[in-house]
Amino acid sequence: KLQFLYFIGGRACVCACEFIPEMYYPPLTETERLQQLLVVAGTNAISIPCIWKLMKFGCYFEMWIGISTGFVSVMYHSAEAMRQPLLGMNDGQWHRLDNVFAIMSFVSLILWLMDNNPRTDEFLRWMFMAIVTWGQEKGPWDLTYTITPIILVCLLLILKYVFQRRLPDYLKNATDRKTFLKATFFLSIAIYFFVKGLDDRRDYLRIHHGLWHFFAGISFFVFFDLPVSSKLTSIRAPAEHQKQE
């Protein structure tokens, strides 16, 4: 009987620790909270050059997704580190928004690489915004709802060029191909650190999560250097026209 009671009691403690992290993880000191805040909030600054580039390109949807991603990420991690609401929202509420805009950043990037016409881009942007928002309201801590929209838009990218039986223009040119591979390399590093950062116990200062921010920001900056033909008129042509004048 005693063994049975010990077993039941142990299982209850484990279950409680899953829902109350402080029972399993020792609370952070004030210094550690400040370090965590500086890492996860400060590394979002890497997105500023990419946002500036998109503004110069006139890609305002992508620009505002980038601004929202950076701002909301700072607010989420700040609320989490300080253990208090910010702007009337707790860290759980900021977490939902953080996921929405982070996922939409990837959706926007893939749509850029798809090289669609403006009407198709407009349709897909708002379709994915609806899907992502619904998914994050349903399960913001469930990776299924984070990964599925990204996989779906990647499948659309692949299927488009498979049915058209051609490579994207940015893979035909040697210089652009190197740019694509460089951006993919940085993104691979970012994904590695994202996965490492999922273990809160080991990454309690969010060092790995901060490196995810850092390398993802570099990757996006390089990816948006790729010239896509549907945006050449609105992006590259005006700059070239100004040079000629």
Side-chain angles (χ1 to χ4, degrees):
K1 290 183 178 179
L2 285 175
Q3 289 178 341
F4 177 75
L5 290 174
Y6 280 131
F7 175 76
I8 295 297
R11 293 298 298 168
C13 288
V14 170
C15 292
C17 291
E18 289 178 356
F19 291 98
I20 309 175
E22 289 81 358
M23 294 181 64
Y24 186 70
Y25 308 129
L28 298 179
T29 65
E30 290 299 318
T31 301
E32 288 173 330
R33 290 192 188 285
L34 179 59
Q35 290 174 336
Q36 184 188 98
L37 178 61
L38 290 174
V39 168
V40 293
T43 49
N44 276 289
I46 194 67
S47 64
I48 294 175
C50 186
I51 292 169
W52 180 258
K53 176 187 290 187
L54 291 168
M55 184 182 72
K56 291 199 302 181
F57 283 176
C59 298
Y60 299 122
F61 179 86
E62 292 84 355
M63 180 195 77
W64 277 108
I65 289 293
I67 291 172
S68 300
T69 302
F71 173 75
V72 171
S73 180
V74 170
M75 297 303 291
Y76 161 51
H77 291 300
S78 298
E80 181 187 42
M82 294 187 294
R83 298 293 178 89
Q84 64 181 26
L86 293 175
L87 299 181
M89 294 171 59
N90 60 36
D91 61 333
Q93 292 170 306
W94 284 115
H95 176 71
R96 282 180 166 85
L97 277 181
D98 182 45
N99 282 359
V100 168
F101 287 116
I103 296 167
M104 284 305 300
S105 292
F106 279 93
V107 170
S108 298
L109 174 63
I110 300 303
L111 293 181
W112 174 280
L113 297 176
M114 283 181 71
D115 195 12
N116 299 313
N117 63 62
R119 288 175 63 87
T120 302
D121 268 346
E122 188 76 2
F123 176 84
L124 291 174
R125 283 168 183 164
W126 293 110
M127 182 188 80
F128 276 102
M129 179 65 84
I131 292 172
V132 170
T133 303
W134 171 80
Q136 291 309 306
E137 279 298 313
K138 188 174 189 300
W141 280 272
D142 188 341
L143 276 178
T144 302
Y145 297 105
T146 301
I147 297 172
T148 300
I150 298 174
I151 293 175
L152 180 58
V153 74
C154 286
L155 286 175
L156 290 178
L157 170 68
I158 294 169
L159 289 173
K160 172 181 177 174
Y161 290 110
V162 167
F163 282 118
Q164 291 183 352
R165 297 183 180 181
R166 69 179 182 90
L167 287 174
D169 292 338
Y170 49 80
L171 292 183
K172 296 176 182 177
N173 178 284
T175 302
D176 292 336
R177 189 161 55 246
K178 288 180 181 178
T179 301
F180 179 83
L181 292 174
K182 186 191 302 183
T184 304
F185 172 73
F186 284 122
L187 183 58
S188 300
I189 298 175
I191 292 172
Y192 169 78
F193 282 116
F194 174 77
V195 174
K196 292 278 286 183
L198 292 176
D199 188 345
D200 291 339
R201 182 182 59 177
R202 295 181 182 276
D203 194 32
Y204 64 95
L205 291 180
R206 303 294 190 268
I207 301 295
H208 290 140
H209 193 79
L211 289 170
W212 147 252
H213 289 169
F214 181 77
F215 285 105
I218 295 176
S219 172
F220 273 58
F221 182 84
V222 178
F223 266 124
F224 281 113
D225 259 344
L226 291 171
V228 289
S229 59
S230 67
K231 297 180 177 64
L232 286 177
T233 301
S234 60
I235 296 174
R236 303 298 171 93
E240 293 174 1
H241 181 68
Q242 289 175 2
K243 289 180 181 178
Q244 290 175 0
E245 291 180 347

